[in-house]
Amino acid sequence: MKVLLGVCGGIAAYKAGELTRELRRRGATVQVIMTAGAEHFVTPLTFAALSSNQVMTSLWQPVNSDVASGEPGAFDIEHIRVAQDADVLVLAPATANFIARLAHGFADDLLSAICLAAKIPIVVAPAMNVNMWLHPATQANIETLRQRGVQIVGPGSGDLACGMVGDGRLAEPTEIADHVLAAAQRTSDMANETILITAGGTREPIDAVRFIGNRSSGKMGFALAEAAMARGAKVILIHAATTAAPPAGCEHIHVTTAAQMERAVLEQLPRASMVIMAAAVSDYQVVSPHAQKLKKTTALTLELTQTPDILRQAAQQRRAGTLMVGFAAETEHPVEEGRRKLREKGIDVIVANDVSQPGQGFDSDQNAGTIISAHDERMLPLSSKRVMAESIMDYLRTTSLRLNPR
Ligand code: C5P
C-alpha cells in the first residue's frame, strides 16, 4: 500500500516521524511531502531516513532525466503522477492554515496541488493551539472537508506546545495509522461488485411539450455512484432528468420515462450484483399523450395509469445473491412506510427519508434518513449526500457479504 504523508509547519511535525515508522511497520510504503513551513521544524533528511524515500518539497522540482532521453511519454507532471499512484493521503500534522487552504481549493504549493489532484481518500489529523482549533473559521473549514468525505482524526486534548491546555494535540500515530489503513482498504472493498444505480426523476409526457415530473435532482444517485466507484465498484448509472452533473468514470444510460427506465434496468439486471434504485420514478403515466401541443382550454382532464413498479419486478427477476436496494421518500411516517415497502417490494434494504423537512432530500445537497433491512435499522444523521452515500455503502458492503460470503 502506498501512503502519501503531507507534513505541515507546526511543532507536531516531529511526530510525523513516528507516524512514518508506524505506517512502515504495518507494511506501507510512505512518500513524504513537506510544506515550506514544515522544513522550519524538521529537515527533509529526517523523513528521507525514516521513509527510505526521497522527500518532496517543491512544486518546481527539476524535470526528470528521462525527458532528456526523448522517449515519448517520459515527461511526468510530478504532482499529478504522485496523486494518481498512491492509495491514500494523510495530512499530519494539518495546521489551521493548511486546512483553510484545502477547504478553499488552493494549489500554490506542492502539497496543496497534490491534495487537489488526488482522487484517493484523504485523512486529516489537525494539530494547533486550542483557540485556533475552536475558531469558527477553522471549525467551518473542518466541516467543509468532512462534508466532502475527508476523514478527520482528532485532535486530542491535553497540554499544548503553546503552554495552554485543551483540544489541539495531534492524535496518536497509532490511531492515525488505523484510520489511514481503513481508508485505504475502502478503496477496493467493492472491487467485485457491479452496481446498477438509478438517479433523477422520470418524465411522463402529456403532449409534445409538457410532462408529469418531480423535483428529484439526481444528486443522491450520483453521490452513491461516486462512493461506489471510489471503492472500486463498476457502476452502471441509469439516469432520467437531473439538475446536477453526472459523475465521470461509469457507464451512462439516459432515459426519460418510467417505461424506458424499466427496460434499461431489466436489460442490465443480469450484469448487476447490486441494484440501487435512487431514482424518483413517476407513479403515473398519461394513457394517450398528445403528439401535438394541446390548445389551452378552461379545463383539462388527463387519464392516468400506474407505471410499472421497476424495483418490485427487478427483485422478482434477479439472480440469486443480487442485493436489491430502494429509497422511500415520504412526507409522513417515513420509517413505517419504509418497512412496508421493503416487505411489499421483496427487497433487501430500503433507505427511508422525510422529504417534508426543509434543507434535506429532494433538490438539496444534504440528506438524512433511516436505513432499514429485515435484520436491523440504522439512523443516518443529516449530512452531505456524499457522506450519507458512504454510510450506505458501508452498510451495503456488510449486507452483501452476508448474502454472498467470500
Ligand atoms: O413505491 P414507491 O414509489 O414509494 O417506492 C420507491 C422506491 O421504488 C424507489 O426506490 C423508486 O426508485 C422505486 N420505484 C420503482 N418503480 C416505480 C416507482 C418507484 O422502481 N414505478
Side-chain angles (χ1 to χ4, degrees):
M1 183 208 322
K2 279 193 190 166
V3 178
L4 296 181
L5 168 57
V7 182
C8 306
I11 183 62
Y14 76 95
K15 292 190 186 168
E18 186 47 44
L19 176 60
T20 307
R21 290 172 55 134
E22 184 61 29
L23 289 167
R24 292 197 68 202
R25 256 197 296 273
R26 299 188 192 198
T29 57
V30 180
Q31 170 66 66
V32 176
I33 304 124
M34 297 177 75
T35 64
E39 288 189 67
H40 289 288
F41 292 91
V42 195
T43 68
L45 188 60
T46 310
F47 287 111
L50 291 171
S51 66
S52 300
N53 230 338
Q54 290 280 348
V55 170
M56 300 174 72
T57 55
S58 169
L59 198 50
W60 315 112
Q61 314 250 348
V63 170
N64 68 41
S65 55
D66 290 350
V67 176
S69 72
E71 290 280 321
F75 178 66
D76 270 341
I77 299 175
E78 194 72 349
H79 59 281
I80 305 291
R81 181 189 59 75
V82 170
Q84 277 168 352
D85 278 358
D87 299 298
V88 58
L89 167 61
V90 53
L91 302 176
T95 55
N97 174 56
F98 199 84
I99 288 166
R101 284 153 39 78
L102 188 58
H104 291 88
F106 280 54
D108 57 355
D109 71 356
L110 181 63
L111 185 56
S112 57
I114 288 173
C115 288
L116 213 57
K119 298 268 298 175
I120 51 180
I122 300 182
V123 177
V124 167
M128 64 197 74
N129 162 271
V130 59
N131 293 342
M132 293 171 87
W133 170 247
L134 293 177
H135 194 284
T138 306
Q139 289 301 309
N141 291 330
I142 285 285
E143 194 49 30
T144 300
L145 297 181
R146 204 173 259 139
Q147 295 299 327
R148 272 185 214 149
V150 171
Q151 266 189 61
I152 312 294
V153 187
S157 199
D159 293 332
L160 304 175
C162 54
M164 294 173 80
V165 178
D167 287 345
R169 280 167 67 96
L170 184 71
E172 288 306 317
T174 49
E175 188 191 351
I176 301 172
D178 286 347
H179 280 82
V180 171
L181 266 67
Q185 212 108 54
R186 276 200 294 275
T187 59
S188 59
D189 67 356
M190 290 190 129
N192 294 323
E193 307 281 358
T194 299
I195 310 185
L196 195 166
I197 298 174
T198 65
T202 64
R203 290 178 170 182
E204 309 304 326
I206 296 171
D207 65 14
V209 297
R210 303 179 178 96
F211 55 82
I212 298 173
N214 59 65
R215 285 171 44 216
S216 172
S217 60
K219 287 177 184 168
M220 191 67 235
F222 293 167
L224 287 161
E226 277 170 5
M229 284 190 287
R231 300 170 80 137
K234 181 172 171 44
V235 173
I236 307 165
L237 187 57
I238 300 179
H239 43 99
T242 61
T243 53
C250 51
E251 235 176 281
H252 293 268
I253 301 174
H254 294 268
V255 296
T256 305
T257 64
Q260 290 169 0
M261 184 171 278
E262 177 195 23
R263 221 169 303 134
V265 168
L266 297 182
E267 214 169 84
Q268 299 299 325
L269 184 62
R271 296 173 62 201
S273 57
M274 216 182 261
V275 176
I276 308 177
M277 285 282 302
V281 183
S282 170
D283 290 324
Y284 297 97
Q285 61 199 7
V286 178
V287 173
S288 319
H290 291 257
Q292 306 303 327
K293 184 181 172 192
L294 281 167
K295 294 281 177 250
K296 198 185 299 183
T297 51
T298 47
L300 174 68
T301 305
L302 295 173
E303 193 188 344
L304 306 178
T305 54
Q306 261 194 318
T307 53
D309 191 321
I310 306 169
L311 191 51
R312 190 199 299 248
Q313 283 189 75
Q316 284 164 358
Q317 295 180 25
R318 65 175 142 171
R319 59 182 160 82
T322 305
L323 192 75
M324 304 299 298
V325 185
F327 273 73
E330 306 292 339
T331 54
E332 287 174 308
H333 315 298
V335 176
E336 289 76 5
E337 282 302 297
R339 286 184 199 133
R340 181 179 65 76
K341 288 180 182 178
L342 182 82
R343 267 195 322 274
E344 288 182 3
K345 289 174 190 276
I347 57 178
D348 306 295
V349 177
I350 198 155
V351 182
N353 60 323
D354 187 346
V355 289
S356 68
Q357 298 293 322
Q360 65 185 63
F362 277 139
D363 219 6
S364 167
D365 288 329
Q366 297 209 305
N367 210 353
T370 307
I371 190 159
I372 304 168
S373 75
H375 303 276
D376 59 4
E377 289 177 12
R378 205 170 291 176
M379 285 280 296
L380 298 169
L382 185 66
S383 66
S384 68
K385 287 185 172 172
R386 180 59 208 271
V387 168
M388 181 158 155
E390 210 61 67
S391 308
I392 294 172
M393 286 300 158
D394 281 341
Y395 187 88
L396 297 183
R397 190 180 114 68
T398 46
T399 312
S400 160
L401 281 178
R402 202 161 42 217
L403 279 183
N404 306 300
R406 292 196 180 101

